Amino acid sequence: MTRDPADLTASDYLDGAREMSAANRPFLAYLLAEEAARRTADPATAAGMRASFPAPTTAREETD
């Protein structure tokens, strides 16, 4: 694993987004996917990444 964030690729960020999604951390997944999309040259691929991890709502639901 790299220690320099500048060495991370879009694929690394997308892998992290998948891990955070699996861990039920949608906002972190969204942020990582946004960074992956930002590092992707192809606009269609970037749009697909963003669509796969949409921004979660800010409203919290209380559970009993």
Side-chain angles (χ1 to χ4, degrees):
M1 172 149 213
T2 183
R3 294 188 184 270
D4 185 0
D7 291 339
L8 295 173
T9 65
S11 180
D12 294 326
Y13 282 100
L14 200 53
D15 288 344
R18 288 185 191 109
E19 289 177 20
M20 290 300 104
S21 182
N24 199 27
R25 304 296 303 241
F27 189 70
L28 290 176
Y30 161 74
L31 292 175
L32 289 164
E34 279 295 315
E35 184 59 24
R38 191 181 70 75
R39 292 172 181 253
T40 301
D42 180 37
T45 302
M49 290 175 184
R50 287 183 175 104
S52 295
F53 300 95
T57 62
T58 56
R60 292 185 62 136
E61 293 182 19
E62 297 297 323
T63 59
D64 292 332

